[in-house]
PDB file of all heavy atoms in Angstrom:
ATOM      1  N   ASN G 102     -53.562   1.973 -11.548  1.00  0.00           N
ATOM      2  CA  ASN G 102     -54.924   1.823 -11.088  1.00  0.00           C
ATOM      3  C   ASN G 102     -55.034   2.573  -9.760  1.00  0.00           C
ATOM      4  O   ASN G 102     -54.381   2.241  -8.786  1.00  0.00           O
ATOM      5  CB  ASN G 102     -55.229   0.331 -10.871  1.00  0.00           C
ATOM      6  CG  ASN G 102     -56.631   0.077 -10.427  1.00  0.00           C
ATOM      7  OD1 ASN G 102     -57.309   0.959  -9.938  1.00  0.00           O
ATOM      8  ND2 ASN G 102     -57.090  -1.145 -10.608  1.00  0.00           N
ATOM      9  N   PRO G 103     -55.847   3.621  -9.687  1.00  0.00           N
ATOM     10  CA  PRO G 103     -55.897   4.450  -8.472  1.00  0.00           C
ATOM     11  C   PRO G 103     -56.539   3.763  -7.276  1.00  0.00           C
ATOM     12  O   PRO G 103     -56.488   4.304  -6.179  1.00  0.00           O
ATOM     13  CB  PRO G 103     -56.711   5.687  -8.903  1.00  0.00           C
ATOM     14  CG  PRO G 103     -57.565   5.183  -9.999  1.00  0.00           C
ATOM     15  CD  PRO G 103     -56.762   4.125 -10.710  1.00  0.00           C
ATOM     16  N   ASP G 104     -57.104   2.575  -7.484  1.00  0.00           N
ATOM     17  CA  ASP G 104     -57.736   1.844  -6.396  1.00  0.00           C
ATOM     18  C   ASP G 104     -56.873   0.710  -5.867  1.00  0.00           C
ATOM     19  O   ASP G 104     -57.305  -0.029  -5.006  1.00  0.00           O
ATOM     20  CB  ASP G 104     -59.106   1.313  -6.868  1.00  0.00           C
ATOM     21  CG  ASP G 104     -60.026   2.457  -7.278  1.00  0.00           C
ATOM     22  OD1 ASP G 104     -60.064   3.449  -6.529  1.00  0.00           O
ATOM     23  OD2 ASP G 104     -60.663   2.351  -8.322  1.00  0.00           O
ATOM     24  N   ARG G 105     -55.673   0.541  -6.377  1.00  0.00           N
ATOM     25  CA  ARG G 105     -54.787  -0.522  -5.926  1.00  0.00           C
ATOM     26  C   ARG G 105     -53.523   0.093  -5.336  1.00  0.00           C
ATOM     27  O   ARG G 105     -52.781   0.814  -5.988  1.00  0.00           O
ATOM     28  CB  ARG G 105     -54.417  -1.434  -7.052  1.00  0.00           C
ATOM     29  CG  ARG G 105     -55.595  -2.161  -7.633  1.00  0.00           C
ATOM     30  CD  ARG G 105     -55.178  -3.543  -8.117  1.00  0.00           C
ATOM     31  NE  ARG G 105     -56.329  -4.255  -8.596  1.00  0.00           N
ATOM     32  CZ  ARG G 105     -57.055  -5.082  -7.873  1.00  0.00           C
ATOM     33  NH1 ARG G 105     -56.750  -5.299  -6.630  1.00  0.00           N
ATOM     34  NH2 ARG G 105     -58.078  -5.714  -8.411  1.00  0.00           N
ATOM     35  N   ARG G 106     -53.278  -0.219  -4.057  1.00  0.00           N
ATOM     36  CA  ARG G 106     -52.131   0.332  -3.338  1.00  0.00           C
ATOM     37  C   ARG G 106     -50.812   0.038  -4.033  1.00  0.00           C
ATOM     38  O   ARG G 106     -49.971   0.888  -4.154  1.00  0.00           O
ATOM     39  CB  ARG G 106     -52.084  -0.264  -1.909  1.00  0.00           C
ATOM     40  CG  ARG G 106     -52.740   0.586  -0.911  1.00  0.00           C
ATOM     41  CD  ARG G 106     -52.588   0.022   0.492  1.00  0.00           C
ATOM     42  NE  ARG G 106     -53.879   0.241   1.124  1.00  0.00           N
ATOM     43  CZ  ARG G 106     -54.790  -0.691   1.305  1.00  0.00           C
ATOM     44  NH1 ARG G 106     -54.541  -1.933   1.001  1.00  0.00           N
ATOM     45  NH2 ARG G 106     -55.945  -0.403   1.846  1.00  0.00           N
ATOM     46  N   GLU G 107     -50.634  -1.202  -4.448  1.00  0.00           N
ATOM     47  CA  GLU G 107     -49.375  -1.630  -5.035  1.00  0.00           C
ATOM     48  C   GLU G 107     -49.087  -0.844  -6.326  1.00  0.00           C
ATOM     49  O   GLU G 107     -47.943  -0.406  -6.533  1.00  0.00           O
ATOM     50  CB  GLU G 107     -49.419  -3.147  -5.333  1.00  0.00           C
ATOM     51  CG  GLU G 107     -48.093  -3.707  -5.765  1.00  0.00           C
ATOM     52  CD  GLU G 107     -48.142  -5.195  -5.918  1.00  0.00           C
ATOM     53  OE1 GLU G 107     -48.694  -5.881  -5.037  1.00  0.00           O
ATOM     54  OE2 GLU G 107     -47.638  -5.685  -6.927  1.00  0.00           O
ATOM     55  N   ASP G 108     -50.074  -0.661  -7.182  1.00  0.00           N
ATOM     56  CA  ASP G 108     -49.874   0.102  -8.401  1.00  0.00           C
ATOM     57  C   ASP G 108     -49.512   1.540  -8.075  1.00  0.00           C
ATOM     58  O   ASP G 108     -48.605   2.118  -8.694  1.00  0.00           O
ATOM     59  CB  ASP G 108     -51.159   0.116  -9.249  1.00  0.00           C
ATOM     60  CG  ASP G 108     -51.380  -1.168 -10.031  1.00  0.00           C
ATOM     61  OD1 ASP G 108     -50.538  -2.071  -9.916  1.00  0.00           O
ATOM     62  OD2 ASP G 108     -52.409  -1.244 -10.705  1.00  0.00           O
ATOM     63  N   CYS G 109     -50.194   2.129  -7.116  1.00  0.00           N
ATOM     64  CA  CYS G 109     -49.913   3.518  -6.746  1.00  0.00           C
ATOM     65  C   CYS G 109     -48.535   3.633  -6.129  1.00  0.00           C
ATOM     66  O   CYS G 109     -47.837   4.628  -6.356  1.00  0.00           O
ATOM     67  CB  CYS G 109     -50.981   4.056  -5.817  1.00  0.00           C
ATOM     68  SG  CYS G 109     -52.599   4.267  -6.611  1.00  0.00           S
ATOM     69  N   ALA G 110     -48.147   2.682  -5.326  1.00  0.00           N
ATOM     70  CA  ALA G 110     -46.824   2.714  -4.694  1.00  0.00           C
ATOM     71  C   ALA G 110     -45.719   2.652  -5.721  1.00  0.00           C
ATOM     72  O   ALA G 110     -44.757   3.436  -5.682  1.00  0.00           O
ATOM     73  CB  ALA G 110     -46.670   1.558  -3.702  1.00  0.00           C
ATOM     74  N   ARG G 111     -45.865   1.753  -6.678  1.00  0.00           N
ATOM     75  CA  ARG G 111     -44.864   1.652  -7.761  1.00  0.00           C
ATOM     76  C   ARG G 111     -44.785   2.926  -8.575  1.00  0.00           C
ATOM     77  O   ARG G 111     -43.710   3.432  -8.862  1.00  0.00           O
ATOM     78  CB  ARG G 111     -45.236   0.462  -8.664  1.00  0.00           C
ATOM     79  CG  ARG G 111     -44.104  -0.465  -8.981  1.00  0.00           C
ATOM     80  CD  ARG G 111     -44.471  -1.563  -9.957  1.00  0.00           C
ATOM     81  NE  ARG G 111     -45.893  -1.745 -10.189  1.00  0.00           N
ATOM     82  CZ  ARG G 111     -46.614  -2.781  -9.756  1.00  0.00           C
ATOM     83  NH1 ARG G 111     -46.041  -3.729  -9.072  1.00  0.00           N
ATOM     84  NH2 ARG G 111     -47.877  -2.885 -10.030  1.00  0.00           N
ATOM     85  N   ALA G 112     -45.953   3.453  -8.928  1.00  0.00           N
ATOM     86  CA  ALA G 112     -45.989   4.688  -9.720  1.00  0.00           C
ATOM     87  C   ALA G 112     -45.457   5.873  -8.906  1.00  0.00           C
ATOM     88  O   ALA G 112     -44.791   6.768  -9.460  1.00  0.00           O
ATOM     89  CB  ALA G 112     -47.408   4.964 -10.178  1.00  0.00           C
ATOM     90  N   ALA G 113     -45.748   5.925  -7.625  1.00  0.00           N
ATOM     91  CA  ALA G 113     -45.237   7.004  -6.771  1.00  0.00           C
ATOM     92  C   ALA G 113     -43.727   6.968  -6.704  1.00  0.00           C
ATOM     93  O   ALA G 113     -43.073   8.021  -6.769  1.00  0.00           O
ATOM     94  CB  ALA G 113     -45.853   6.912  -5.375  1.00  0.00           C
ATOM     95  N   ASP G 114     -43.157   5.782  -6.585  1.00  0.00           N
ATOM     96  CA  ASP G 114     -41.684   5.643  -6.574  1.00  0.00           C
ATOM     97  C   ASP G 114     -41.071   6.165  -7.885  1.00  0.00           C
ATOM     98  O   ASP G 114     -40.090   6.904  -7.886  1.00  0.00           O
ATOM     99  CB  ASP G 114     -41.285   4.199  -6.342  1.00  0.00           C
ATOM    100  CG  ASP G 114     -41.571   3.720  -4.930  1.00  0.00           C
ATOM    101  OD1 ASP G 114     -41.777   4.595  -4.032  1.00  0.00           O
ATOM    102  OD2 ASP G 114     -41.569   2.507  -4.701  1.00  0.00           O
ATOM    103  N   ARG G 115     -41.690   5.754  -9.009  1.00  0.00           N
ATOM    104  CA  ARG G 115     -41.203   6.233 -10.309  1.00  0.00           C
ATOM    105  C   ARG G 115     -41.345   7.737 -10.454  1.00  0.00           C
ATOM    106  O   ARG G 115     -40.447   8.424 -10.962  1.00  0.00           O
ATOM    107  CB  ARG G 115     -41.906   5.525 -11.462  1.00  0.00           C
ATOM    108  CG  ARG G 115     -41.446   4.091 -11.663  1.00  0.00           C
ATOM    109  CD  ARG G 115     -41.952   3.524 -12.973  1.00  0.00           C
ATOM    110  NE  ARG G 115     -43.358   3.698 -13.206  1.00  0.00           N
ATOM    111  CZ  ARG G 115     -44.327   2.832 -12.921  1.00  0.00           C
ATOM    112  NH1 ARG G 115     -43.992   1.666 -12.374  1.00  0.00           N
ATOM    113  NH2 ARG G 115     -45.596   3.091 -13.179  1.00  0.00           N
ATOM    114  N   ALA G 116     -42.471   8.256 -10.001  1.00  0.00           N
ATOM    115  CA  ALA G 116     -42.707   9.719 -10.092  1.00  0.00           C
ATOM    116  C   ALA G 116     -41.715  10.493  -9.206  1.00  0.00           C
ATOM    117  O   ALA G 116     -41.224  11.552  -9.617  1.00  0.00           O
ATOM    118  CB  ALA G 116     -44.143  10.030  -9.700  1.00  0.00           C
ATOM    119  N   LEU G 117     -41.419   9.934  -8.051  1.00  0.00           N
ATOM    120  CA  LEU G 117     -40.448  10.601  -7.168  1.00  0.00           C
ATOM    121  C   LEU G 117     -39.046  10.572  -7.770  1.00  0.00           C
ATOM    122  O   LEU G 117     -38.315  11.570  -7.711  1.00  0.00           O
ATOM    123  CB  LEU G 117     -40.431   9.892  -5.802  1.00  0.00           C
ATOM    124  CG  LEU G 117     -39.651  10.595  -4.694  1.00  0.00           C
ATOM    125  CD1 LEU G 117     -40.211  12.010  -4.489  1.00  0.00           C
ATOM    126  CD2 LEU G 117     -39.772   9.805  -3.412  1.00  0.00           C
ATOM    127  N   GLU G 118     -38.699   9.474  -8.458  1.00  0.00           N
ATOM    128  CA  GLU G 118     -37.406   9.435  -9.140  1.00  0.00           C
ATOM    129  C   GLU G 118     -37.345  10.477 -10.254  1.00  0.00           C
ATOM    130  O   GLU G 118     -36.351  11.155 -10.418  1.00  0.00           O
ATOM    131  CB  GLU G 118     -37.183   8.029  -9.744  1.00  0.00           C
ATOM    132  CG  GLU G 118     -36.869   6.966  -8.702  1.00  0.00           C
ATOM    133  CD  GLU G 118     -36.820   5.570  -9.343  1.00  0.00           C
ATOM    134  OE1 GLU G 118     -36.788   5.454 -10.594  1.00  0.00           O
ATOM    135  OE2 GLU G 118     -36.772   4.596  -8.568  1.00  0.00           O
ATOM    136  N   ARG G 119     -38.445  10.583 -11.030  1.00  0.00           N
ATOM    137  CA  ARG G 119     -38.480  11.596 -12.084  1.00  0.00           C
ATOM    138  C   ARG G 119     -38.365  13.003 -11.495  1.00  0.00           C
ATOM    139  O   ARG G 119     -37.649  13.843 -12.059  1.00  0.00           O
ATOM    140  CB  ARG G 119     -39.780  11.458 -12.883  1.00  0.00           C
ATOM    141  CG  ARG G 119     -39.686  10.457 -13.989  1.00  0.00           C
ATOM    142  CD  ARG G 119     -40.923  10.506 -14.874  1.00  0.00           C
ATOM    143  NE  ARG G 119     -41.439   9.158 -14.940  1.00  0.00           N
ATOM    144  CZ  ARG G 119     -42.610   8.754 -14.507  1.00  0.00           C
ATOM    145  NH1 ARG G 119     -43.451   9.603 -14.002  1.00  0.00           N
ATOM    146  NH2 ARG G 119     -42.961   7.498 -14.591  1.00  0.00           N
ATOM    147  N   TYR G 120     -39.056  13.228 -10.407  1.00  0.00           N
ATOM    148  CA  TYR G 120     -38.988  14.541  -9.768  1.00  0.00           C
ATOM    149  C   TYR G 120     -37.564  14.838  -9.319  1.00  0.00           C
ATOM    150  O   TYR G 120     -37.057  15.942  -9.576  1.00  0.00           O
ATOM    151  CB  TYR G 120     -39.918  14.578  -8.555  1.00  0.00           C
ATOM    152  CG  TYR G 120     -39.676  15.766  -7.669  1.00  0.00           C
ATOM    153  CD1 TYR G 120     -39.989  17.063  -8.099  1.00  0.00           C
ATOM    154  CD2 TYR G 120     -39.113  15.605  -6.400  1.00  0.00           C
ATOM    155  CE1 TYR G 120     -39.740  18.165  -7.297  1.00  0.00           C
ATOM    156  CE2 TYR G 120     -38.880  16.705  -5.595  1.00  0.00           C
ATOM    157  CZ  TYR G 120     -39.192  17.970  -6.041  1.00  0.00           C
ATOM    158  OH  TYR G 120     -38.935  19.053  -5.249  1.00  0.00           O
ATOM    159  N   ASN G 121     -36.892  13.873  -8.708  1.00  0.00           N
ATOM    160  CA  ASN G 121     -35.508  14.094  -8.261  1.00  0.00           C
ATOM    161  C   ASN G 121     -34.566  14.347  -9.425  1.00  0.00           C
ATOM    162  O   ASN G 121     -33.640  15.172  -9.337  1.00  0.00           O
ATOM    163  CB  ASN G 121     -35.020  12.929  -7.423  1.00  0.00           C
ATOM    164  CG  ASN G 121     -35.678  12.878  -6.049  1.00  0.00           C
ATOM    165  OD1 ASN G 121     -36.067  13.913  -5.515  1.00  0.00           O
ATOM    166  ND2 ASN G 121     -35.883  11.711  -5.496  1.00  0.00           N
ATOM    167  N   ASP G 122     -34.788  13.651 -10.554  1.00  0.00           N
ATOM    168  CA  ASP G 122     -33.999  13.904 -11.754  1.00  0.00           C
ATOM    169  C   ASP G 122     -34.206  15.330 -12.283  1.00  0.00           C
ATOM    170  O   ASP G 122     -33.277  16.012 -12.629  1.00  0.00           O
ATOM    171  CB  ASP G 122     -34.304  12.888 -12.850  1.00  0.00           C
ATOM    172  CG  ASP G 122     -33.826  11.496 -12.530  1.00  0.00           C
ATOM    173  OD1 ASP G 122     -32.955  11.354 -11.614  1.00  0.00           O
ATOM    174  OD2 ASP G 122     -34.266  10.539 -13.202  1.00  0.00           O
ATOM    175  N   LEU G 123     -35.475  15.738 -12.323  1.00  0.00           N
ATOM    176  CA  LEU G 123     -35.778  17.057 -12.802  1.00  0.00           C
ATOM    177  C   LEU G 123     -35.235  18.152 -11.875  1.00  0.00           C
ATOM    178  O   LEU G 123     -34.723  19.170 -12.315  1.00  0.00           O
ATOM    179  CB  LEU G 123     -37.303  17.252 -12.951  1.00  0.00           C
ATOM    180  CG  LEU G 123     -37.934  16.643 -14.169  1.00  0.00           C
ATOM    181  CD1 LEU G 123     -39.454  16.731 -14.075  1.00  0.00           C
ATOM    182  CD2 LEU G 123     -37.467  17.320 -15.443  1.00  0.00           C
ATOM    183  N   LYS G 124     -35.351  17.882 -10.576  1.00  0.00           N
ATOM    184  CA  LYS G 124     -34.895  18.856  -9.578  1.00  0.00           C
ATOM    185  C   LYS G 124     -33.386  19.080  -9.707  1.00  0.00           C
ATOM    186  O   LYS G 124     -32.922  20.198  -9.520  1.00  0.00           O
ATOM    187  CB  LYS G 124     -35.255  18.357  -8.179  1.00  0.00           C
ATOM    188  CG  LYS G 124     -35.024  19.361  -7.080  1.00  0.00           C
ATOM    189  CD  LYS G 124     -35.555  18.889  -5.768  1.00  0.00           C
ATOM    190  CE  LYS G 124     -34.771  17.721  -5.272  1.00  0.00           C
ATOM    191  NZ  LYS G 124     -35.094  17.320  -3.897  1.00  0.00           N
ATOM    192  N   ALA G 125     -32.666  18.026 -10.063  1.00  0.00           N
ATOM    193  CA  ALA G 125     -31.226  18.139 -10.177  1.00  0.00           C
ATOM    194  C   ALA G 125     -30.804  18.921 -11.417  1.00  0.00           C
ATOM    195  O   ALA G 125     -29.719  19.514 -11.420  1.00  0.00           O
ATOM    196  CB  ALA G 125     -30.594  16.761 -10.204  1.00  0.00           C
ATOM    197  N   THR G 126     -31.650  18.944 -12.439  1.00  0.00           N
ATOM    198  CA  THR G 126     -31.239  19.580 -13.698  1.00  0.00           C
ATOM    199  C   THR G 126     -31.911  20.927 -13.933  1.00  0.00           C
ATOM    200  O   THR G 126     -31.294  21.784 -14.569  1.00  0.00           O
ATOM    201  CB  THR G 126     -31.554  18.667 -14.899  1.00  0.00           C
ATOM    202  OG1 THR G 126     -32.976  18.402 -14.896  1.00  0.00           O
ATOM    203  CG2 THR G 126     -30.789  17.381 -14.799  1.00  0.00           C
ATOM    204  N   ALA G 127     -33.108  21.103 -13.482  1.00  0.00           N
ATOM    205  CA  ALA G 127     -33.826  22.348 -13.791  1.00  0.00           C
ATOM    206  C   ALA G 127     -34.883  22.615 -12.742  1.00  0.00           C
ATOM    207  O   ALA G 127     -35.265  21.743 -11.974  1.00  0.00           O
ATOM    208  CB  ALA G 127     -34.471  22.258 -15.174  1.00  0.00           C
ATOM    209  N   TYR G 128     -35.383  23.819 -12.756  1.00  0.00           N
ATOM    210  CA  TYR G 128     -36.482  24.172 -11.871  1.00  0.00           C
ATOM    211  C   TYR G 128     -37.470  24.969 -12.665  1.00  0.00           C
ATOM    212  O   TYR G 128     -37.149  25.790 -13.462  1.00  0.00           O
ATOM    213  CB  TYR G 128     -35.981  25.011 -10.676  1.00  0.00           C
ATOM    214  CG  TYR G 128     -37.100  25.306  -9.708  1.00  0.00           C
ATOM    215  CD1 TYR G 128     -37.497  24.361  -8.784  1.00  0.00           C
ATOM    216  CD2 TYR G 128     -37.781  26.517  -9.746  1.00  0.00           C
ATOM    217  CE1 TYR G 128     -38.544  24.609  -7.908  1.00  0.00           C
ATOM    218  CE2 TYR G 128     -38.823  26.764  -8.880  1.00  0.00           C
ATOM    219  CZ  TYR G 128     -39.219  25.820  -7.963  1.00  0.00           C
ATOM    220  OH  TYR G 128     -40.235  26.062  -7.103  1.00  0.00           O
ATOM    221  N   GLY G 129     -38.709  24.662 -12.441  1.00  0.00           N
ATOM    222  CA  GLY G 129     -39.760  25.364 -13.196  1.00  0.00           C
ATOM    223  C   GLY G 129     -41.051  24.608 -13.139  1.00  0.00           C
ATOM    224  O   GLY G 129     -41.317  23.853 -12.196  1.00  0.00           O
ATOM    225  N   ALA G 130     -41.889  24.811 -14.149  1.00  0.00           N
ATOM    226  CA  ALA G 130     -43.209  24.218 -14.165  1.00  0.00           C
ATOM    227  C   ALA G 130     -43.139  22.707 -14.224  1.00  0.00           C
ATOM    228  O   ALA G 130     -43.961  22.047 -13.584  1.00  0.00           O
ATOM    229  CB  ALA G 130     -43.977  24.743 -15.389  1.00  0.00           C
ATOM    230  N   ALA G 131     -42.178  22.155 -14.926  1.00  0.00           N
ATOM    231  CA  ALA G 131     -42.058  20.707 -15.021  1.00  0.00           C
ATOM    232  C   ALA G 131     -41.732  20.083 -13.665  1.00  0.00           C
ATOM    233  O   ALA G 131     -42.265  19.054 -13.280  1.00  0.00           O
ATOM    234  CB  ALA G 131     -41.014  20.307 -16.052  1.00  0.00           C
ATOM    235  N   THR G 132     -40.874  20.730 -12.925  1.00  0.00           N
ATOM    236  CA  THR G 132     -40.493  20.276 -11.584  1.00  0.00           C
ATOM    237  C   THR G 132     -41.684  20.350 -10.654  1.00  0.00           C
ATOM    238  O   THR G 132     -41.938  19.418  -9.905  1.00  0.00           O
ATOM    239  CB  THR G 132     -39.319  21.100 -11.040  1.00  0.00           C
ATOM    240  OG1 THR G 132     -38.257  21.070 -11.981  1.00  0.00           O
ATOM    241  CG2 THR G 132     -38.819  20.517  -9.732  1.00  0.00           C
ATOM    242  N   ASP G 133     -42.404  21.438 -10.700  1.00  0.00           N
ATOM    243  CA  ASP G 133     -43.605  21.584  -9.870  1.00  0.00           C
ATOM    244  C   ASP G 133     -44.657  20.527 -10.196  1.00  0.00           C
ATOM    245  O   ASP G 133     -45.257  19.941  -9.315  1.00  0.00           O
ATOM    246  CB  ASP G 133     -44.203  22.973 -10.020  1.00  0.00           C
ATOM    247  CG  ASP G 133     -43.291  24.087  -9.487  1.00  0.00           C
ATOM    248  OD1 ASP G 133     -42.374  23.751  -8.689  1.00  0.00           O
ATOM    249  OD2 ASP G 133     -43.493  25.245  -9.867  1.00  0.00           O
ATOM    250  N   ALA G 134     -44.877  20.302 -11.473  1.00  0.00           N
ATOM    251  CA  ALA G 134     -45.860  19.277 -11.891  1.00  0.00           C
ATOM    252  C   ALA G 134     -45.455  17.896 -11.459  1.00  0.00           C
ATOM    253  O   ALA G 134     -46.279  17.113 -10.992  1.00  0.00           O
ATOM    254  CB  ALA G 134     -46.035  19.326 -13.418  1.00  0.00           C
ATOM    255  N   ALA G 135     -44.166  17.593 -11.568  1.00  0.00           N
ATOM    256  CA  ALA G 135     -43.663  16.294 -11.142  1.00  0.00           C
ATOM    257  C   ALA G 135     -43.826  16.097  -9.630  1.00  0.00           C
ATOM    258  O   ALA G 135     -44.198  15.023  -9.174  1.00  0.00           O
ATOM    259  CB  ALA G 135     -42.186  16.115 -11.530  1.00  0.00           C
ATOM    260  N   ALA G 136     -43.588  17.149  -8.869  1.00  0.00           N
ATOM    261  CA  ALA G 136     -43.764  17.070  -7.416  1.00  0.00           C
ATOM    262  C   ALA G 136     -45.234  16.859  -7.060  1.00  0.00           C
ATOM    263  O   ALA G 136     -45.555  16.030  -6.192  1.00  0.00           O
ATOM    264  CB  ALA G 136     -43.265  18.348  -6.753  1.00  0.00           C
ATOM    265  N   LYS G 137     -46.144  17.568  -7.731  1.00  0.00           N
ATOM    266  CA  LYS G 137     -47.568  17.401  -7.458  1.00  0.00           C
ATOM    267  C   LYS G 137     -48.045  16.008  -7.838  1.00  0.00           C
ATOM    268  O   LYS G 137     -48.868  15.409  -7.135  1.00  0.00           O
ATOM    269  CB  LYS G 137     -48.370  18.454  -8.230  1.00  0.00           C
ATOM    270  CG  LYS G 137     -48.239  19.836  -7.636  1.00  0.00           C
ATOM    271  CD  LYS G 137     -49.025  20.839  -8.436  1.00  0.00           C
ATOM    272  CE  LYS G 137     -48.800  22.244  -7.890  1.00  0.00           C
ATOM    273  NZ  LYS G 137     -49.544  23.242  -8.650  1.00  0.00           N
ATOM    274  N   TYR G 138     -47.540  15.482  -8.949  1.00  0.00           N
ATOM    275  CA  TYR G 138     -47.965  14.125  -9.403  1.00  0.00           C
ATOM    276  C   TYR G 138     -47.475  13.059  -8.412  1.00  0.00           C
ATOM    277  O   TYR G 138     -48.218  12.165  -8.035  1.00  0.00           O
ATOM    278  CB  TYR G 138     -47.440  13.864 -10.795  1.00  0.00           C
ATOM    279  CG  TYR G 138     -47.982  12.578 -11.396  1.00  0.00           C
ATOM    280  CD1 TYR G 138     -49.355  12.422 -11.625  1.00  0.00           C
ATOM    281  CD2 TYR G 138     -47.137  11.548 -11.723  1.00  0.00           C
ATOM    282  CE1 TYR G 138     -49.854  11.264 -12.185  1.00  0.00           C
ATOM    283  CE2 TYR G 138     -47.633  10.377 -12.286  1.00  0.00           C
ATOM    284  CZ  TYR G 138     -48.977  10.245 -12.489  1.00  0.00           C
ATOM    285  OH  TYR G 138     -49.468   9.066 -13.042  1.00  0.00           O
ATOM    286  N   ALA G 139     -46.206  13.201  -7.955  1.00  0.00           N
ATOM    287  CA  ALA G 139     -45.683  12.274  -6.971  1.00  0.00           C
ATOM    288  C   ALA G 139     -46.479  12.338  -5.655  1.00  0.00           C
ATOM    289  O   ALA G 139     -46.793  11.295  -5.041  1.00  0.00           O
ATOM    290  CB  ALA G 139     -44.205  12.550  -6.702  1.00  0.00           C
TER     291      ALA G 139
END
């Protein structure tokens, strides 16, 4: 829910974890998209 801090915080943490996983394995459009989403 983009209007609730707690939801966004939880999702941001998960998105940052996904970004870090992607960054460790590959670089490209998926990594850039994950960074922008986080």
Side-chain angles (χ1 to χ4, degrees):
N102 182 340
D104 299 316
R105 297 213 178 267
R106 266 184 220 103
E107 188 175 314
D108 283 359
C109 291
R111 228 184 346 252
D114 290 343
R115 285 193 310 266
L117 190 57
E118 287 174 11
R119 275 188 233 117
Y120 167 70
N121 288 331
D122 289 344
L123 282 172
K124 189 172 68 171
T126 59
Y128 183 80
T132 307
D133 294 341
K137 287 179 184 178
Y138 188 62

